[in-house]
Amino acid sequence: MEHIIIIDILNIALPLLYFLLVWVYGKAFFADFPWARELKSKILFGIILIHFVYLLDRTFVFNHPPATTIFEILTLLAFSVAVSYAFIERLSRAKETGYFILNIAFFFQIASSLFIKDLLEVPDVLRNPLFGLHVTSALLGYAAITISAVYGFLYLMLYHEIRASKFGVIYKKLPNLETLERMSFIAITMAFGLLSLAILFGFIWLPKAFDDFSYLDPKLVGTLLIWAMYGTGIIAKKRGGWTGRKVMLLSVFGFVFTIFSMTVVNMLFSKFHNFH
Amino acid sequence: MNLLCIGISHHTAPLELRERLWFSDDEIRAALPKLKEAGFHECVLFSTCNRTELYVFTTEADFRVDFLKKFLIEQKSARSHINEENLFSYFASGAAEHLFRVASGIDSMIVGDVQILSQVKSGFNLALATGTAGFFMNKLFQSALHIGKRSRRETHISEGAVSVSYAAVELAQRIFDDLGSKKALVIGAGDTAQLTAKHLLGKGIGKLFITNRTHERAELLAKMSGGTVIPFEHFTERLAEIDIIIASVNADKYILEKTDIERMNKGRHGSALFLIDIGVPRNIDPEAKDLDNVFLYDLDSLNGLVHENVEKREAEIPRIREIIGEELAILFQWHSALQASPTIAALTQLLEQIRKEEVEKNIHRFAPQDQELIELVTRRIVNKILHTPIVNLKNGHDESHNDRLTKISIIRKLFGLDARKERSHAG
């Protein structure tokens, strides 16, 4: 009972905390407040911890990974975006893009908190630990793709501002073009690794879990296509030295294709591999 | 506060006069002891391309302004060019405020100039080394340096490029992450090209090539900047390896056509190409701007950026004035506390308070008939303890001003008089 109260409190608190986080990152980016610059990464770390406790609590109380409904997936996605961003921020040491990325986490979390249900009864197949690993790695991978696309979008914005001689807040505050491209590439590399894991866990678990499993399921084919597309992009960049605006455009188009695969294909064509 | 500032700056005199009063470090080292011999307790002198300023601290009522003006002019044998009217003077708080304005960068020709702070600092260090900066100047200049740092930390006074050459380099930094891995080509050897080359080197450009129609001038610039000369007739052959081009030559037609840039761009796999055209008439075909991953800027677009930055810096001046006001208040509080009378009063008050507290705590241990005696005895003890320090503080006229201030400062520190004052203010 106590645990359910904690879950309910955190369910209300998390969107507010993400709002606070976005506000602090916004204050640092647009108003350049020193206290916001100082505190933002610490607040991000704190909220990631709280969110982790919330997800862990849900897993133990409801006895299944919080990935069985679309609204559980959304809170997991919000968490994945925050974790992936924190990782990239640490790797690249560029802290100016958080406002744009963490807004996504905030919107995912608010949608989740509004509609999430406390499900105690779920199919046994969804209690399997391999399912948890499959979904977690897939979602972290998709979060990294989202982040890569945001960096791609920021790159294109800055590219046009510089070429049009507009020297406003975007010009002044965003990292330089090469850094944005590097951050986008880090995110894509992370996404590729995580999707590889998701596919691996999926191929081990899915055939055992579903009687109507098919290797030709549109969702599987779509995911493999996304994986192959990003893999080719990484090789092209590493070996062929691809760089610049066109690569960033591809990153944004890759994201659009991923969203299409995740939504339209998932809802209309996939048979066994669907969210509840 | 017997502080005086005398000087010449871009506000009061044109360059041809300012340069007459410019002091080298050696000249400063020679001049300062003469002022000390003339009876000024402490003095600091510094010289930059836009100003020469002398700060003196004296205990005498007469500042001897005319003497000091004459001294500066005669030290540089500049009497035939400069007269006393070309020099400004500020007194007491006005002089401190002026120094603070200078250190903050708001008095500079280019508002927010970053160099002035280090120039003020080296002027002060020179006076310290010469033995003409003492207790008072130390506090004054430490406050000025603190204001300089606060201004740059708490405001945007030094942000954004305010010269065309620096704006070009700043733009390059918004495109490239690591200039150390980039190659730049300077076409031309004029002033702006030279300055841009200097700024690029300052930012650690990987490789700098220079080309010019007059080979000797290119060689000269290369020697000054550490670049490599490419013969003008062959520079287009090297374009494929270049990331940044600064073009500044006098030419009737474009020296780089759109087709040249297109050819350059082909083997670059989308890497950014940054082109700065500061030639009049323009040196690079403006249509090259439409090519993918090409960033082309001419004088007008760079001037626009400079103008915007200047306006932003000027908007920070009111905030800097607030900082100066805060630090002036602290300086005055410190200075007034360094007089003998307030220190004697604070010390007496402190010991009396300690006496009272201890008597109140322990008075019940004594018989009622002894209590009055205890009051009397403890008061006598305190008065006797205070007698010698008070006499010494009052009779310090035979000591140097510096020794006197040091003595008062030590007493205030030992007995925590300033901390106590702050606590009572906070309370």
Side-chain angles (χ1 to χ4, degrees):
Chain A
M1 188 61 193
E2 270 176 23
H3 279 284
I4 290 188
I5 291 170
I6 292 171
I7 287 172
D8 288 343
I9 291 170
L10 288 180
N11 193 42
I12 296 166
L14 275 171
L16 298 174
L17 288 171
Y18 273 106
F19 177 76
L20 170 81
L21 183 64
V22 169
W23 182 74
V24 174
Y25 267 87
K27 283 283 171 201
F29 185 81
F30 293 104
D32 208 15
F33 284 173
W35 61 266
R37 283 204 308 268
E38 182 74 21
L39 284 178
K40 60 185 184 179
S41 297
K42 288 172 189 148
I43 297 176
L44 170 64
F45 183 70
I47 290 175
I48 285 174
L49 267 183
I50 294 168
H51 202 154
F52 182 67
V53 169
Y54 169 74
L55 294 173
L56 216 60
D57 217 11
R58 283 197 80 92
T59 308
F60 287 118
V61 172
F62 303 126
N63 194 26
H64 64 83
T68 56
T69 69
I70 191 83
F71 299 110
E72 282 185 342
I73 292 285
L74 281 175
T75 185
L76 211 51
L77 259 174
F79 178 72
S80 308
V81 169
V83 170
S84 308
Y85 170 72
F87 197 66
I88 292 165
E89 186 182 279
R90 193 150 273 246
L91 268 183
S92 64
R93 290 184 186 166
K95 298 186 172 187
E96 296 85 358
T97 54
Y99 173 77
F100 301 94
I101 308 282
L102 295 167
N103 253 310
I104 299 170
F106 167 61
F107 283 113
F108 281 157
Q109 186 54 45
I110 204 164
S112 167
S113 286
L114 282 172
F115 302 109
I116 200 165
K117 284 185 183 133
D118 298 343
L119 282 184
L120 286 165
E121 295 302 321
V122 295
D124 279 344
V125 69
L126 300 183
R127 296 189 194 277
N128 191 312
L130 275 173
F131 162 70
L133 287 172
H134 168 68
V135 172
T136 307
S137 49
L139 288 181
L140 278 169
Y142 287 126
I145 286 176
T146 311
I147 290 173
S148 161
V150 174
Y151 284 133
F153 184 70
L154 292 176
Y155 177 101
L156 294 172
M157 256 169 44
L158 181 58
Y159 177 94
H160 287 292
E161 294 265 307
I162 296 178
R163 277 177 49 117
S165 300
K166 285 183 188 164
F167 306 115
V169 70
I170 296 289
Y171 167 81
K172 290 224 155 60
K173 296 291 175 65
L174 278 184
N176 57 57
L177 288 176
E178 282 189 349
T179 301
L180 284 172
E181 190 175 342
R182 187 161 50 88
M183 289 168 97
S184 176
F185 186 67
I186 293 173
I188 282 180
T189 313
M190 275 171 64
F192 183 73
L194 289 160
L195 280 186
S196 303
L197 279 179
I199 289 167
L200 183 73
F201 290 130
F203 275 126
I204 299 169
W205 170 68
L206 286 168
K208 292 178 196 159
F210 296 98
D211 296 332
D212 55 348
F213 172 79
S214 161
Y215 283 106
L216 294 174
D217 183 88
K219 178 80 180 290
L220 291 193
V221 175
T223 307
L224 278 172
L225 270 176
I226 292 167
W227 179 79
M229 184 176 75
Y230 279 108
T232 313
I234 289 170
I235 292 168
K237 185 157 175 70
K238 279 276 167 199
R239 295 274 168 87
W242 283 19
T243 185
R245 191 179 78 98
K246 277 183 185 147
V247 178
M248 290 296 96
L249 271 173
L250 281 177
S251 154
V252 176
F253 287 138
F255 172 69
V256 173
F257 180 75
T258 307
I259 291 289
F260 176 77
S261 167
M262 286 273 288
T263 53
V264 180
V265 175
N266 180 65
M267 283 174 192
L268 301 180
F269 305 113
S270 189
K271 293 193 172 78
F272 74 92
H273 197 265
N274 243 330
F275 298 121
H276 289 252
Chain B
M1 190 189 284
N2 291 353
L3 177 68
L4 168 70
C5 166
I6 284 175
I8 190 166
S9 77
H10 57 282
H11 295 301
T12 60
L15 180 61
E16 55 268 28
L17 295 190
R18 294 199 307 270
E19 64 190 8
R20 299 274 171 190
L21 267 198
W22 184 82
F23 283 72
S24 69
D25 285 1
D26 286 341
E27 287 169 330
I28 292 173
R29 276 191 207 98
L32 289 177
K34 290 180 192 167
L35 287 169
K36 197 138 191 193
E37 276 167 27
F40 295 97
H41 284 93
E42 298 184 41
C43 32
V44 177
L45 173 64
F46 61 84
S47 228
T48 75
C49 51
N50 284 324
R51 65 181 73 241
T52 292
E53 300 197 352
L54 169 67
Y55 290 81
V56 296
F57 184 73
T58 173
T59 48
E60 290 163 28
D62 180 13
F63 283 115
R64 291 188 280 162
V65 178
D66 290 336
F67 168 83
L68 286 168
K69 284 185 173 177
K70 205 172 141 195
F71 174 83
L72 279 183
I73 295 167
E74 282 174 3
Q75 279 296 299
K76 292 294 297 180
S77 310
R79 175 58 70 193
S80 53
H81 303 277
I82 297 173
N83 58 46
E84 278 78 357
E85 281 168 14
N86 295 123
L87 299 171
F88 62 77
S89 50
Y90 293 103
F91 302 91
S93 60
E97 189 182 350
H98 174 72
L99 174 65
F100 291 176
R101 285 171 54 86
V102 170
S104 71
I106 62 172
D107 199 62
S108 297
M109 186 180 261
I110 296 166
V111 172
D113 173 28
V114 284
Q115 279 183 328
I116 187 67
L117 193 58
S118 58
Q119 289 163 333
V120 169
K121 192 178 178 182
S122 59
F124 170 60
N125 285 339
L126 212 55
L128 271 181
T130 322
T132 58
F135 195 78
F136 181 80
M137 286 298 182
N138 189 41
K139 177 69 181 175
L140 178 71
F141 276 80
Q142 290 303 341
S143 302
L145 297 176
H146 181 58
I147 285 172
K149 284 176 195 158
R150 272 191 73 187
S151 306
R152 281 148 187 87
R153 194 176 58 234
E154 295 175 24
T155 74
H156 302 291
I157 191 75
S158 296
E159 287 177 14
V162 285
S163 69
V164 165
S165 55
Y166 204 78
V169 178
E170 195 183 83
L171 261 168
Q173 287 182 297
R174 306 305 300 136
I175 296 166
F176 302 113
D177 183 25
D178 174 22
L179 285 179
S181 63
K182 306 296 170 199
K183 292 177 181 173
L185 168 67
V186 176
I187 308 173
D191 289 347
T192 318
Q194 275 183 38
L195 270 176
T196 315
K198 191 178 142 199
H199 290 319
L200 278 172
L201 283 164
K203 293 288 175 190
I205 190 81
K207 184 96 187 157
L208 182 71
F209 296 106
I210 295 153
T211 188
N212 192 45
R213 280 212 184 91
T214 318
H215 192 77
E216 292 71 31
R217 289 196 70 190
E219 288 280 6
L220 190 68
L221 178 55
K223 206 172 167 188
M224 280 160 58
S225 59
T228 308
V229 176
I230 300 177
F232 191 76
E233 304 74 43
H234 301 297
F235 85 84
T236 48
E237 294 161 20
R238 303 286 294 271
L239 289 178
E241 59 182 291
I242 303 295
D243 304 291
I244 300 168
I245 294 178
I246 298 119
S248 171
V249 290
N250 290 323
D252 301 337
K253 55 177 190 157
Y254 301 135
I255 55 165
L256 281 173
E257 297 286 346
K258 188 180 178 184
T259 46
D260 295 321
I261 311 293
E262 241 170 344
R263 209 169 41 246
M264 262 180 99
N265 224 6
K266 260 182 193 160
R268 300 177 61 81
H269 301 291
S271 285
L273 181 58
F274 182 51
L275 309 171
I276 298 288
D277 182 358
I278 37 186
V280 180
R282 284 181 287 185
N283 298 158
I284 303 174
D285 183 355
E287 282 191 19
K289 200 173 188 173
D290 301 332
L291 295 169
D292 245 8
N293 299 305
V294 171
F295 299 86
L296 169 61
Y297 295 89
D298 58 22
L299 261 182
D300 271 2
S301 44
L302 291 175
N303 273 330
L305 177 59
V306 167
H307 184 67
E308 248 179 61
N309 287 338
V310 169
E311 278 183 352
K312 276 178 192 153
R313 283 185 179 202
E314 282 171 356
E316 295 290 337
I317 291 177
R319 173 67 194 119
I320 303 268
R321 285 203 178 116
E322 278 174 29
I323 293 174
I324 290 174
E326 287 164 21
E327 296 295 332
L328 266 178
I330 293 170
L331 180 75
F332 276 95
Q333 216 172 5
W334 169 85
H335 184 254
S336 57
L338 282 180
Q339 308 302 312
S341 317
T343 304
I344 292 169
L347 191 61
T348 313
Q349 206 183 352
L350 172 71
L351 294 198
E352 175 58 15
Q353 193 187 331
I354 295 169
R355 187 198 68 80
K356 256 188 183 168
E357 280 169 9
E358 290 306 310
V359 168
E360 270 170 29
K361 251 192 259 169
N362 298 293
I363 197 82
H364 65 277
R365 295 171 197 260
F366 298 91
Q369 64 273 23
D370 294 334
Q371 286 182 356
E372 203 175 324
L373 190 64
I374 287 297
E375 273 283 334
L376 198 69
V377 169
T378 53
R379 198 164 284 159
R380 264 190 205 155
I381 293 171
V382 166
N383 285 343
K384 285 199 168 172
I385 291 172
L386 278 171
H387 177 73
T388 314
I390 287 174
V391 169
N392 277 331
L393 277 171
K394 281 182 178 167
N395 300 336
H397 304 297
D398 51 338
E399 297 166 336
S400 77
H401 179 73
N402 228 12
D403 290 348
R404 204 169 137 73
L405 289 181
T406 310
K407 193 168 71 186
I408 294 173
S409 164
I410 288 172
I411 287 176
R412 298 194 73 87
K413 253 191 198 152
L414 277 177
F415 287 94
L417 297 182
D418 294 317
R420 200 167 154 266
K421 196 173 167 189
E422 275 165 28
R423 273 201 302 276
S424 68
H425 278 302

